[in-house]
Amino acid sequence: MPEALPEWTLTDLYSGIDDPAILADMRDCQAQAKALQADFEGKVATKSGSELGDMIARYETLSEIMGRILCHADLVFASDMSKAEVAQHNQTMREQASEAESALLFVELELSQMPE
């Protein structure tokens, strides 16, 4: 068993937990998730194929950005769980992502109810 935890270079994701891009990306995701919800919730069955394609593209973009944010937070936390600020950052990112994701629950629900 290795003596030390792995050390990752995460600068491809964000420069650190204090990188202003993290909060900017999260706020953007939250706003885009609410906009997607307003545009499509309860209306999916009435949308054209082109409009559904747009909805899915927007959903995928949000998923990718939130995945990058959470991956960074998780990897930073996994590399040093002893720092309170790292643990707090990880928890905050999880909570904020959950808020955005709750606005997107309708996508899976409505798509699962569409006729095949």
Side-chain angles (χ1 to χ4, degrees):
M1 183 168 186
E3 294 289 323
L5 293 173
E7 290 186 34
W8 294 290
T9 302
L10 302 175
T11 54
D12 287 346
L13 300 172
Y14 295 102
S15 64
I17 64 171
D18 58 349
D19 187 337
I22 296 172
L23 290 178
D25 285 352
M26 183 59 78
R27 286 189 189 112
D28 188 45
C29 282
Q30 289 170 334
Q32 287 184 41
K34 289 176 184 171
L36 190 65
Q37 182 180 29
D39 292 346
F40 289 95
E41 185 173 30
K43 307 169 196 164
V44 171
T46 65
K47 298 295 183 180
S48 70
S50 169
E51 291 168 318
L52 290 176
D54 176 58
M55 180 193 75
I56 291 168
R58 289 168 63 186
Y59 180 82
E60 287 175 341
T61 298
L62 284 169
S63 294
E64 181 180 320
I65 296 168
M66 279 194 289
R68 182 174 61 239
I69 293 168
L70 293 176
C71 181
H72 181 266
D74 286 343
L75 290 172
V76 170
F77 181 61
S79 67
D80 190 352
M81 295 179 189
S82 66
K83 292 182 181 173
E85 66 272 13
V86 171
Q88 181 61 53
H89 171 74
N90 185 271
Q91 181 64 29
T92 300
M93 292 302 101
R94 293 242 152 247
E95 290 169 1
Q96 291 184 10
S98 180
E99 180 183 324
E101 290 166 347
S102 69
L104 299 174
L105 289 175
F106 80 92
V107 174
E108 292 181 30
L109 177 64
E110 291 192 34
L111 288 179
S112 71
Q113 295 175 355
M114 297 216 23
E116 293 183 29

